[in-house]
Amino acid sequence: MKTILLASSALALSLGLSALVASPAAAQQACAFRGALDEAYCDANRDMVADAPTDPSKLRDPSTIVFTYTPVEDPALYASQFRPFLDYLGKCTGKRAVYFQVTSNAAQVEAMRSGRLHVAGFSTGPTAFAVNLAGAIPFAVKGDASGYESYKVVMLVRADSPYQTLADLRGKRVAHTSATSNSGNLAPRAFFPGLGLTPDQDYQVLYSGGHDRSVMGVNAGDYDAAPVASDVWTRMVARGQVKRENFRVIWESQPFPTSGFALAHDLKPELADKIRQCFLDYRFPEQMARDLGGNDRFWPATYAEQWAPVRAVADAVNAPYNRAAFDAESRRELEAEARKRAQSQQPAAPTHVAPTGAAPATPKP
Protein backbone atom coordinates (compact mmCIF):
# COMPACT_ATOMS: atom_id res chain seq x y z
CA MET A 1 0.00 0.00 0.00
CA LYS A 2 1.33 3.45 -0.92
CA THR A 3 0.63 6.54 1.16
CA ILE A 4 0.08 9.98 -0.37
CA LEU A 5 0.18 13.22 1.62
CA LEU A 6 -1.85 16.19 0.38
CA ALA A 7 -1.20 19.46 2.21
CA SER A 8 -4.42 21.31 2.94
CA SER A 9 -3.01 24.73 2.14
CA ALA A 10 -1.74 23.75 -1.28
CA LEU A 11 -4.94 21.91 -2.09
CA ALA A 12 -7.11 24.84 -1.10
CA LEU A 13 -5.08 27.08 -3.39
CA SER A 14 -5.11 24.67 -6.32
CA LEU A 15 -8.66 23.34 -6.08
CA GLY A 16 -11.37 25.98 -6.14
CA LEU A 17 -14.85 24.58 -5.65
CA SER A 18 -16.37 27.21 -7.88
CA ALA A 19 -14.23 26.07 -10.79
CA LEU A 20 -15.72 22.60 -10.56
CA VAL A 21 -19.37 23.56 -10.68
CA ALA A 22 -21.49 23.50 -13.81
CA SER A 23 -23.24 26.71 -14.74
CA PRO A 24 -26.42 27.27 -12.67
CA ALA A 25 -28.60 27.50 -15.77
CA ALA A 26 -27.34 24.21 -17.22
CA ALA A 27 -27.58 22.44 -13.87
CA GLN A 28 -31.14 23.69 -13.31
CA GLN A 29 -32.27 22.40 -16.69
CA ALA A 30 -30.73 18.98 -16.04
CA CYS A 31 -32.11 18.46 -12.54
CA ALA A 32 -35.67 18.79 -11.26
CA PHE A 33 -34.73 18.32 -7.58
CA ARG A 34 -31.47 18.50 -5.64
CA GLY A 35 -32.53 19.37 -2.09
CA ALA A 36 -29.49 20.56 -0.10
CA LEU A 37 -27.02 19.28 -2.70
CA ASP A 38 -24.73 21.60 -4.62
CA GLU A 39 -25.63 22.51 -8.20
CA ALA A 40 -23.20 19.92 -9.54
CA TYR A 41 -25.44 17.11 -8.26
CA CYS A 42 -29.02 15.90 -8.52
CA ASP A 43 -31.29 13.96 -6.15
CA ALA A 44 -34.17 12.78 -8.32
CA ASN A 45 -35.03 9.90 -5.99
CA ARG A 46 -34.95 12.24 -2.95
CA ASP A 47 -32.76 10.04 -0.77
CA MET A 48 -30.68 13.13 0.22
CA VAL A 49 -27.53 12.02 -1.64
CA ALA A 50 -26.30 12.58 -5.18
CA ASP A 51 -27.63 10.39 -7.98
CA ALA A 52 -25.19 8.59 -10.25
CA PRO A 53 -24.68 10.31 -13.63
CA THR A 54 -27.26 9.28 -16.21
CA ASP A 55 -24.65 9.60 -18.98
CA PRO A 56 -22.67 6.31 -19.00
CA SER A 57 -19.57 8.13 -20.26
CA LYS A 58 -19.40 10.04 -16.97
CA LEU A 59 -19.24 6.91 -14.81
CA ARG A 60 -15.75 6.04 -13.57
CA ASP A 61 -14.02 2.67 -13.26
CA PRO A 62 -10.55 3.60 -11.91
CA SER A 63 -7.67 1.13 -11.99
CA THR A 64 -6.53 2.47 -8.60
CA ILE A 65 -8.93 2.91 -5.68
CA VAL A 66 -7.94 5.89 -3.56
CA PHE A 67 -9.04 5.81 0.09
CA THR A 68 -8.57 8.06 3.11
CA TYR A 69 -9.83 8.45 6.65
CA THR A 70 -10.81 11.58 8.54
CA PRO A 71 -7.85 13.59 9.89
CA VAL A 72 -9.53 13.87 13.31
CA GLU A 73 -6.26 12.58 14.77
CA ASP A 74 -2.72 12.24 13.34
CA PRO A 75 -3.26 11.36 9.63
CA ALA A 76 -0.10 9.23 9.56
CA LEU A 77 -1.50 7.12 12.38
CA TYR A 78 -4.56 6.15 10.38
CA ALA A 79 -2.47 5.37 7.29
CA SER A 80 -0.79 2.65 9.35
CA GLN A 81 -3.94 1.42 11.08
CA PHE A 82 -5.88 0.97 7.82
CA ARG A 83 -3.03 -0.80 6.02
CA PRO A 84 -4.52 -4.32 6.50
CA PHE A 85 -7.86 -3.15 5.17
CA LEU A 86 -6.32 -1.50 2.10
CA ASP A 87 -4.42 -4.71 1.33
CA TYR A 88 -7.71 -6.61 1.58
CA LEU A 89 -9.67 -4.05 -0.47
CA GLY A 90 -7.18 -4.35 -3.30
CA LYS A 91 -7.51 -8.14 -3.38
CA CYS A 92 -11.29 -8.00 -2.98
CA THR A 93 -11.81 -5.61 -5.90
CA GLY A 94 -8.92 -6.81 -8.05
CA LYS A 95 -7.60 -3.24 -8.20
CA ARG A 96 -4.70 -1.37 -6.67
CA ALA A 97 -5.68 0.41 -3.42
CA VAL A 98 -3.76 3.34 -1.95
CA TYR A 99 -4.13 5.56 1.12
CA PHE A 100 -4.51 9.29 0.40
CA GLN A 101 -3.29 11.16 3.48
CA VAL A 102 -5.09 14.49 4.02
CA THR A 103 -4.38 17.06 6.68
CA SER A 104 -7.76 18.75 7.11
CA ASN A 105 -11.48 18.11 6.74
CA ALA A 106 -11.68 20.71 3.97
CA ALA A 107 -8.89 19.02 2.01
CA GLN A 108 -10.68 15.69 2.31
CA VAL A 109 -13.98 17.06 0.99
CA GLU A 110 -12.27 18.92 -1.85
CA ALA A 111 -10.30 15.81 -2.80
CA MET A 112 -13.47 13.77 -3.29
CA ARG A 113 -15.20 16.55 -5.19
CA SER A 114 -12.23 16.91 -7.54
CA GLY A 115 -12.23 13.19 -8.30
CA ARG A 116 -9.01 12.42 -6.40
CA LEU A 117 -10.80 10.25 -3.83
CA HIS A 118 -13.02 7.26 -4.49
CA VAL A 119 -13.75 6.03 -0.96
CA ALA A 120 -13.34 7.89 2.32
CA GLY A 121 -14.16 7.79 6.00
CA PHE A 122 -15.47 11.26 6.92
CA SER A 123 -15.87 12.59 10.44
CA THR A 124 -19.46 12.96 11.63
CA GLY A 125 -19.99 16.66 10.90
CA PRO A 126 -17.92 16.90 7.69
CA THR A 127 -19.85 13.92 6.31
CA ALA A 128 -22.71 16.35 5.59
CA PHE A 129 -20.36 18.70 3.69
CA ALA A 130 -19.05 15.72 1.72
CA VAL A 131 -22.62 14.70 0.83
CA ASN A 132 -23.79 18.17 -0.20
CA LEU A 133 -20.63 19.51 -1.85
CA ALA A 134 -18.67 16.47 -3.02
CA GLY A 135 -21.31 13.94 -4.05
CA ALA A 136 -20.29 11.49 -1.32
CA ILE A 137 -22.61 8.52 -0.70
CA PRO A 138 -22.32 7.28 2.93
CA PHE A 139 -22.86 3.52 3.11
CA ALA A 140 -21.14 2.16 6.23
CA VAL A 141 -19.98 2.90 9.78
CA LYS A 142 -17.62 1.00 12.08
CA GLY A 143 -19.02 -1.32 14.72
CA ASP A 144 -18.83 -4.67 16.44
CA ALA A 145 -21.03 -7.75 16.72
CA SER A 146 -23.60 -5.82 18.76
CA GLY A 147 -24.14 -3.01 16.24
CA TYR A 148 -22.60 0.11 14.78
CA GLU A 149 -20.43 2.47 16.80
CA SER A 150 -21.72 5.71 18.22
CA TYR A 151 -20.09 8.37 20.33
CA LYS A 152 -21.08 11.02 22.81
CA VAL A 153 -19.95 14.59 23.23
CA VAL A 154 -18.11 14.72 26.56
CA MET A 155 -17.01 17.88 28.34
CA LEU A 156 -13.56 17.19 29.75
CA VAL A 157 -11.82 19.05 32.57
CA ARG A 158 -8.73 18.13 34.53
CA ALA A 159 -9.47 15.89 37.50
CA ASP A 160 -7.61 18.29 39.80
CA SER A 161 -9.64 21.32 38.61
CA PRO A 162 -12.45 22.88 40.66
CA TYR A 163 -14.98 22.62 37.80
CA GLN A 164 -17.91 20.33 38.51
CA THR A 165 -20.71 21.64 36.24
CA LEU A 166 -21.02 23.49 32.96
CA ALA A 167 -21.95 26.65 34.85
CA ASP A 168 -18.51 26.60 36.49
CA LEU A 169 -16.93 27.27 33.10
CA ARG A 170 -18.22 30.82 32.70
CA GLY A 171 -15.31 33.06 31.79
CA LYS A 172 -12.93 30.11 31.41
CA ARG A 173 -10.76 28.88 28.53
CA VAL A 174 -12.85 26.34 26.61
CA ALA A 175 -11.50 24.70 23.45
CA HIS A 176 -13.74 23.73 20.55
CA THR A 177 -12.15 21.68 17.79
CA SER A 178 -13.20 23.25 14.47
CA ALA A 179 -16.23 25.12 13.20
CA THR A 180 -17.61 22.20 11.16
CA SER A 181 -17.20 19.55 13.84
CA ASN A 182 -20.45 18.13 15.19
CA SER A 183 -19.13 17.00 18.56
CA GLY A 184 -16.41 19.63 18.87
CA ASN A 185 -18.50 22.70 18.02
CA LEU A 186 -22.03 22.43 16.62
CA ALA A 187 -23.52 20.09 19.24
CA PRO A 188 -22.10 22.18 22.13
CA ARG A 189 -23.57 25.31 20.55
CA ALA A 190 -26.93 23.55 20.25
CA PHE A 191 -27.01 22.02 23.74
CA PHE A 192 -25.08 24.30 26.10
CA PRO A 193 -27.33 27.41 26.03
CA GLY A 194 -30.24 25.37 27.37
CA LEU A 195 -27.97 24.21 30.17
CA GLY A 196 -26.96 27.72 31.17
CA LEU A 197 -23.68 28.07 29.25
CA THR A 198 -23.64 29.93 25.93
CA PRO A 199 -20.48 29.70 23.79
CA ASP A 200 -19.04 33.07 22.69
CA GLN A 201 -21.11 34.71 25.41
CA ASP A 202 -20.29 32.93 28.66
CA TYR A 203 -16.85 31.89 27.44
CA GLN A 204 -14.59 32.67 24.50
CA VAL A 205 -14.37 29.80 22.02
CA LEU A 206 -10.75 28.80 21.36
CA TYR A 207 -10.38 26.53 18.33
CA SER A 208 -7.78 23.85 18.94
CA GLY A 209 -7.81 22.31 15.46
CA GLY A 210 -8.69 18.76 16.51
CA HIS A 211 -10.13 16.50 19.18
CA ASP A 212 -6.72 15.11 20.11
CA ARG A 213 -5.35 18.65 20.42
CA SER A 214 -8.25 19.62 22.68
CA VAL A 215 -7.61 16.60 24.91
CA MET A 216 -3.88 17.26 25.07
CA GLY A 217 -4.54 20.96 25.73
CA VAL A 218 -6.78 20.20 28.71
CA ASN A 219 -4.23 17.69 29.96
CA ALA A 220 -1.45 20.30 29.75
CA GLY A 221 -3.55 23.06 31.32
CA ASP A 222 -3.70 25.15 28.15
CA TYR A 223 -7.52 24.94 28.28
CA ASP A 224 -9.81 24.71 31.28
CA ALA A 225 -12.23 22.43 29.45
CA ALA A 226 -13.07 21.01 26.04
CA PRO A 227 -16.05 19.25 24.44
CA VAL A 228 -14.70 16.30 22.44
CA ALA A 229 -15.87 13.08 20.83
CA SER A 230 -15.83 10.31 23.42
CA ASP A 231 -14.44 7.74 20.98
CA VAL A 232 -11.35 9.86 20.22
CA TRP A 233 -10.69 10.42 23.93
CA THR A 234 -11.15 6.71 24.68
CA ARG A 235 -8.67 5.72 21.95
CA MET A 236 -6.12 8.20 23.27
CA VAL A 237 -6.45 6.67 26.73
CA ALA A 238 -6.12 3.15 25.32
CA ARG A 239 -2.95 4.12 23.44
CA GLY A 240 -1.44 5.65 26.56
CA GLN A 241 -1.33 9.19 25.17
CA VAL A 242 -3.18 10.45 28.25
CA LYS A 243 -4.30 8.92 31.56
CA ARG A 244 -8.01 8.60 32.21
CA GLU A 245 -7.54 9.45 35.89
CA ASN A 246 -6.20 12.88 34.90
CA PHE A 247 -9.64 13.89 33.56
CA ARG A 248 -13.19 14.32 34.78
CA VAL A 249 -16.28 14.29 32.57
CA ILE A 250 -18.72 16.94 33.78
CA TRP A 251 -21.33 16.49 31.02
CA GLU A 252 -22.12 14.11 28.16
CA SER A 253 -24.65 14.07 25.33
CA GLN A 254 -26.88 11.42 23.85
CA PRO A 255 -25.17 9.21 21.20
CA PHE A 256 -24.31 10.32 17.65
CA PRO A 257 -23.14 8.19 14.73
CA THR A 258 -19.39 8.00 14.40
CA SER A 259 -17.41 8.60 11.20
CA GLY A 260 -19.11 7.40 8.02
CA PHE A 261 -17.57 5.67 5.01
CA ALA A 262 -18.67 7.03 1.67
CA LEU A 263 -18.26 6.37 -2.04
CA ALA A 264 -17.92 8.87 -4.84
CA HIS A 265 -21.29 9.17 -6.56
CA ASP A 266 -19.94 8.65 -10.08
CA LEU A 267 -18.33 5.21 -9.74
CA LYS A 268 -19.70 2.53 -12.04
CA PRO A 269 -22.56 0.76 -10.23
CA GLU A 270 -20.79 -2.61 -10.46
CA LEU A 271 -17.67 -1.21 -8.77
CA ALA A 272 -19.67 0.69 -6.14
CA ASP A 273 -21.61 -2.47 -5.26
CA LYS A 274 -18.39 -4.49 -5.08
CA ILE A 275 -16.73 -1.97 -2.73
CA ARG A 276 -19.79 -1.95 -0.47
CA GLN A 277 -19.76 -5.73 -0.26
CA CYS A 278 -16.01 -5.79 0.40
CA PHE A 279 -16.53 -3.44 3.36
CA LEU A 280 -19.42 -5.40 4.84
CA ASP A 281 -17.66 -8.78 4.48
CA TYR A 282 -14.41 -7.61 6.12
CA ARG A 283 -13.48 -8.46 9.72
CA PHE A 284 -10.73 -6.39 11.31
CA PRO A 285 -7.58 -8.23 12.38
CA GLU A 286 -6.81 -8.12 16.11
CA GLN A 287 -4.41 -5.16 16.07
CA MET A 288 -6.64 -3.06 13.81
CA ALA A 289 -9.61 -3.76 16.09
CA ARG A 290 -7.61 -2.59 19.11
CA ASP A 291 -6.45 0.53 17.26
CA LEU A 292 -10.02 1.40 16.28
CA GLY A 293 -11.61 1.20 19.70
CA GLY A 294 -12.64 -2.46 19.69
CA ASN A 295 -14.61 -2.25 16.45
CA ASP A 296 -14.15 -5.27 14.22
CA ARG A 297 -16.44 -4.74 11.22
CA PHE A 298 -18.44 -2.31 9.09
CA TRP A 299 -22.21 -1.96 9.38
CA PRO A 300 -24.51 -0.65 6.60
CA ALA A 301 -25.73 2.93 7.04
CA THR A 302 -27.53 5.65 5.11
CA TYR A 303 -27.21 9.40 5.29
CA ALA A 304 -30.98 9.90 5.57
CA GLU A 305 -31.29 7.70 8.66
CA GLN A 306 -28.03 7.65 10.64
CA TRP A 307 -27.20 11.34 10.13
CA ALA A 308 -30.62 12.71 11.02
CA PRO A 309 -29.47 13.74 14.56
CA VAL A 310 -26.46 15.53 13.08
CA ARG A 311 -28.62 17.51 10.66
CA ALA A 312 -30.97 18.35 13.53
CA VAL A 313 -28.08 19.87 15.50
CA ALA A 314 -27.01 21.95 12.49
CA ASP A 315 -30.57 23.19 12.04
CA ALA A 316 -30.76 24.11 15.73
CA VAL A 317 -27.73 26.38 15.49
CA ASN A 318 -28.51 27.64 11.96
CA ALA A 319 -25.32 26.11 10.55
CA PRO A 320 -26.25 24.76 7.10
CA TYR A 321 -23.85 22.42 5.35
CA ASN A 322 -23.47 24.63 2.31
CA ARG A 323 -20.59 26.07 0.31
CA ALA A 324 -20.47 29.39 2.19
CA ALA A 325 -20.02 27.59 5.52
CA PHE A 326 -17.48 25.24 3.96
CA ASP A 327 -15.45 28.12 2.52
CA ALA A 328 -15.45 29.87 5.89
CA GLU A 329 -14.17 26.72 7.60
CA SER A 330 -11.53 26.25 4.90
CA ARG A 331 -10.24 29.76 5.59
CA ARG A 332 -10.13 29.05 9.32
CA GLU A 333 -8.18 25.86 8.75
CA LEU A 334 -5.69 27.64 6.49
CA GLU A 335 -5.25 30.46 9.00
CA ALA A 336 -4.72 27.97 11.82
CA GLU A 337 -2.14 26.12 9.73
CA ALA A 338 -0.35 29.37 8.92
CA ARG A 339 -0.23 30.32 12.61
CA LYS A 340 1.12 26.90 13.50
CA ARG A 341 3.88 27.19 10.87
CA ALA A 342 4.74 30.70 12.01
CA GLN A 343 5.03 29.57 15.63
CA SER A 344 7.29 26.68 14.70
CA GLN A 345 9.09 28.70 12.00
CA GLN A 346 8.65 25.85 9.56
CA PRO A 347 8.33 26.35 5.79
CA ALA A 348 5.05 25.61 4.05
CA ALA A 349 4.49 21.96 3.20
CA PRO A 350 4.91 20.93 -0.46
CA THR A 351 1.84 20.08 -2.49
CA HIS A 352 2.47 16.34 -2.45
CA VAL A 353 4.84 14.12 -0.51
CA ALA A 354 5.10 10.42 -1.26
CA PRO A 355 7.52 7.68 -0.23
CA THR A 356 10.65 7.29 -2.33
CA GLY A 357 9.88 5.26 -5.39
CA ALA A 358 6.11 5.61 -4.94
CA ALA A 359 3.66 6.01 -7.76
CA PRO A 360 2.70 9.55 -8.88
CA ALA A 361 1.15 11.50 -6.06
CA THR A 362 -2.16 12.06 -7.85
CA PRO A 363 -3.47 8.80 -9.32
CA LYS A 364 -5.66 9.26 -12.32
CA PRO A 365 -9.23 7.94 -12.08
Side-chain angles (χ1 to χ4, degrees):
M1 181 189 72
K2 305 294 186 184
T3 300
I4 301 166
L5 173 63
L6 183 56
S8 59
S9 57
L11 179 63
L13 290 172
S14 63
L15 294 178
L17 286 181
S18 60
L20 297 169
V21 182
S23 70
Q28 187 64 38
Q29 291 176 359
C31 180
F33 181 81
R34 60 175 47 90
L37 303 182
D38 192 79
E39 292 179 350
Y41 311 105
C42 193
D43 181 23
N45 61 3
R46 300 183 181 238
D47 61 357
M48 306 188 77
V49 295
D51 299 335
T54 55
D55 182 351
S57 68
K58 293 183 179 180
L59 292 170
R60 294 188 294 158
D61 187 16
S63 59
T64 296
I65 297 174
V66 184
F67 169 86
T68 195
Y69 190 65
T70 171
V72 67
E73 298 174 70
D74 181 2
L77 182 67
Y78 285 127
S80 174
Q81 291 175 349
F82 276 93
R83 183 181 298 274
F85 174 69
L86 265 291
D87 291 341
Y88 157 81
L89 185 62
K91 294 175 183 177
C92 183
T93 60
K95 296 176 179 287
R96 181 169 175 255
V98 299
Y99 193 96
F100 196 44
Q101 189 172 309
V102 294
T103 56
S104 74
N105 291 317
Q108 188 183 26
V109 173
E110 288 177 340
M112 179 161 279
R113 174 154 182 142
S114 72
R116 295 169 183 252
L117 272 181
H118 306 121
V119 192
F122 292 97
S123 189
T124 302
T127 292
F129 278 120
V131 167
N132 291 346
L133 303 181
I137 311 295
F139 68 93
V141 292
K142 300 189 303 294
D144 59 23
S146 64
Y148 68 83
E149 180 187 32
S150 61
Y151 73 88
K152 297 178 180 180
V153 182
V154 294
M155 180 64 95
L156 295 180
V157 300
R158 282 176 58 114
D160 59 3
S161 75
Y163 315 122
Q164 300 291 333
T165 68
L166 291 180
D168 294 334
L169 297 176
R170 290 192 181 93
K172 305 304 178 182
R173 299 165 301 168
V174 180
H176 289 203
T177 59
S178 64
T180 60
S181 173
N182 178 70
S183 53
N185 185 56
L186 298 180
R189 290 182 182 276
F191 297 145
F192 289 178
L195 300 171
L197 187 71
T198 302
D200 289 324
Q201 178 177 310
D202 294 324
Y203 65 83
Q204 179 185 2
V205 172
L206 304 171
Y207 287 110
S208 69
H211 293 270
D212 55 341
R213 296 178 186 178
S214 288
V215 173
M216 296 301 290
V218 171
N219 190 57
D222 296 332
Y223 310 121
D224 296 308
V228 299
S230 60
D231 58 334
V232 176
W233 178 53
T234 300
R235 287 196 298 269
M236 293 179 71
V237 170
R239 289 196 295 263
Q241 291 176 275
V242 293
K243 296 181 178 180
R244 185 179 295 273
E245 59 265 28
N246 289 350
F247 297 85
R248 182 168 59 249
V249 175
I250 63 172
W251 178 86
E252 66 180 24
S253 73
Q254 293 298 310
F256 286 95
T258 187
S259 52
F261 294 84
L263 292 161
H265 79 294
D266 56 354
L267 298 181
K268 281 193 172 182
E270 298 85 356
L271 176 59
D273 289 344
K274 182 64 176 177
I275 291 173
R276 287 188 180 94
Q277 195 60 52
C278 290
F279 267 76
L280 298 180
D281 289 345
Y282 185 63
R283 294 297 178 265
F284 302 180
E286 185 177 348
Q287 184 59 52
M288 182 177 171
R290 284 199 299 267
D291 289 340
L292 296 176
N295 295 300
D296 66 356
R297 68 195 67 194
F298 297 103
W299 281 85
T302 66
Y303 180 66
E305 182 177 352
Q306 273 70 38
W307 268 261
V310 180
R311 296 192 302 273
V313 164
D315 290 343
V317 296
N318 191 28
Y321 289 105
N322 57 24
R323 194 183 308 154
F326 177 84
D327 289 343
E329 172 61 7
S330 298
R331 286 192 295 271
R332 279 189 286 266
E333 289 184 337
L334 288 171
E335 290 167 358
E337 183 179 324
R339 287 194 299 269
K340 183 179 178 182
R341 287 201 307 268
Q343 291 170 358
S344 61
Q345 296 183 338
Q346 294 178 350
T351 304
H352 301 93
V353 178
T356 302
T362 308
K364 294 191 180 300

